[in-house]
Amino acid sequence: MNRLLAIIALCLWALPLRAEPGRHWRSIDPASTGWSATALQPLQDYAELRRPTALLLVQNGAILASFGDPARKVGVASVRKSLLSALYGSAVADGRIRLDATLAELDIDEKPPGLTGQEKGATVRDLLTARSGIYLPAAHETPDIKEKRPARGSHPPGSFWFYNNWDFNTLGTIYRQRTGDDIFESFARRIAAPIGMEDFSARDGRYALSPVSIHPAYPFRLSARDLARFGVLYTNGGSWNGRQLVPAAWVRESTAPHAATDRPTRGYAYMWWTLPEGGFGRGAALASGYGGQLLAIVPDKRLVMVQTAETRRSGIGTRTRDFIAMLRKIVATAP
């Protein structure tokens, strides 16, 4: 009998931990899964100092630590780009969008005088990796983008990385034209509903036009707990409860480094930032939005960390490099 019980216990131990949250998130005691008593102190210190709207740490689909209000929806700024990247995975796999299709083939242009012949040679892949070589004003640009924008025509497509809202907004236009789907309804149907987002609806997205461009931005509002579900989906390789929502090959490719950037600790993938394998493991990536909207995935540790921040409610500041430094400490001690 004792031997049988030992075998049963060994089999149960070998079963994988539940990888997704259920209808509602569950919280667990970090010590019960092998975390030391002091391992999460950097997270506690960070939360007390920065006071973001919400901060969540998730492992194996359960909450290890939570600060603030994870149900409060905020504008997640450029995190929207990583959300759209997930939709591109299915569109590419279904053959509705080709990564090597040029803007000329797709009949993509801009306000008069329009794109040049060189600019129309940029491909979908060039836009996904922010290497289009098209340096034009765009909706929802930050002052930093405007200030640093290269001269028009200074780099041919595919040759130079520049974080460029024109590329990202135009990808939204391409997605809508090639699939016939609204971005927010598509996200709600293809991703939010299947993974059980508790707060998001298609009404939480809007198209933001600007006089400078025909290609609108597509801002989202999300809660931290819903954004964490999206992170869990990616740490699971695009799978949720056995259903492949984002092609596994796309998850790997879209979070692998494709371009060097001007950030010393980050590369760029397909509308995701990449984190160095040394210190974070394979496939670690970051969705980052202006003002402290951050989603980090660390697949090797099955970790997801989310931060949301409203400027009028936050503390002394939310710099991405501080978030990454804190995350590095957490990953170093994670079981």
Side-chain angles (χ1 to χ4, degrees):
M1 177 62 71
N2 288 340
R3 183 180 180 186
L4 177 61
L5 290 174
I7 292 172
I8 292 172
L10 180 62
C11 291
L12 290 173
W13 177 85
L15 288 173
L17 294 174
R18 181 183 174 90
E20 304 96 1
R23 182 178 179 185
H24 301 293
W25 284 96
R26 62 192 177 98
S27 297
I28 59 172
D29 177 5
S32 70
T33 57
W35 291 80
S36 71
T38 59
L40 300 185
Q41 191 60 47
L43 185 69
Q44 175 81 37
D45 294 343
Y46 177 94
E48 292 177 356
L49 179 64
R50 303 292 171 186
R51 290 184 289 141
T53 301
L55 185 65
L56 281 177
L57 178 64
V58 170
Q59 188 176 45
N60 290 307
I63 295 174
L64 295 174
S66 175
F67 304 91
D69 184 357
R72 186 179 182 88
K73 288 188 281 193
V74 307
V76 295
S78 288
V79 171
R80 67 186 173 97
K81 298 156 189 174
S82 302
L83 306 179
L84 180 62
S85 179
L87 294 179
Y88 259 77
S90 296
V92 170
D94 293 344
R96 292 177 294 168
I97 299 176
R98 292 184 7 250
L99 294 183
D100 61 354
T102 66
L103 299 189
E105 292 176 82
L106 297 170
D107 198 26
I108 293 294
D109 213 328
E110 186 50 283
K111 288 191 170 186
L115 300 180
T116 66
Q118 174 175 286
E119 290 168 338
K120 288 185 178 182
T123 65
V124 171
R125 182 181 280 106
D126 292 333
L127 272 64
L128 284 166
T129 57
R131 295 186 296 183
S132 73
I134 302 171
Y135 307 123
L136 295 171
H140 271 223
E141 284 188 322
T142 63
D144 188 60
I145 293 177
K146 294 178 182 178
E147 179 183 348
K148 295 180 179 178
R149 183 186 294 117
R152 189 172 183 184
S154 57
H155 302 285
S159 67
F160 184 78
W161 181 88
F162 174 69
Y163 189 81
N164 188 2
N165 265 23
W166 194 92
D167 292 5
F168 309 131
N169 293 347
T170 302
L171 286 166
T173 299
I174 293 170
Y175 181 83
R176 289 184 290 120
Q177 290 183 353
R178 301 305 294 180
T179 67
D181 290 341
D182 174 83
I183 290 172
F184 309 111
E185 291 178 356
S186 184
F187 185 82
R189 182 179 72 255
R190 292 177 173 273
I191 294 177
I195 68 176
M197 285 190 175
E198 298 176 71
D199 308 304
F200 176 79
S201 78
R203 295 187 299 274
D204 291 314
R206 64 184 178 88
Y207 295 103
L209 278 164
S210 166
V212 301
S213 174
I214 63 174
H215 304 292
Y218 38 93
F220 280 72
R221 290 179 60 82
L222 285 170
S223 65
R225 65 185 182 181
D226 280 354
L227 193 53
R229 284 179 182 265
F230 182 73
V232 172
L233 174 67
Y234 261 68
T235 62
N236 289 350
S239 175
W240 195 274
N241 284 330
R243 181 182 173 190
Q244 198 70 42
L245 302 178
V246 181
W250 180 263
V251 172
R252 291 191 298 271
E253 184 177 354
S254 66
T255 56
H258 293 281
T261 74
D262 57 2
R263 275 68 160 183
T265 61
R266 286 182 273 165
Y268 207 71
Y270 293 167
M271 292 196 284
W272 284 87
W273 298 90
T274 63
L275 298 172
E277 187 169 328
F280 293 97
R282 294 169 298 176
L286 182 74
S288 175
Y290 183 80
Q293 323 312 322
L294 296 160
L295 162 65
I297 58 170
V298 185
D300 276 4
K301 297 289 186 176
R302 303 199 64 77
L303 283 173
V304 173
M305 189 180 291
V306 173
Q307 174 180 280
T308 58
E310 295 171 288
T311 303
R312 67 180 184 276
R313 290 169 54 90
S314 297
I316 65 171
T318 50
R319 295 182 178 178
T320 302
R321 65 171 176 266
D322 297 329
F323 178 90
I324 293 174
M326 178 268 293
L327 177 62
R328 187 186 293 271
K329 294 177 183 177
I330 300 297
V331 172
T333 58

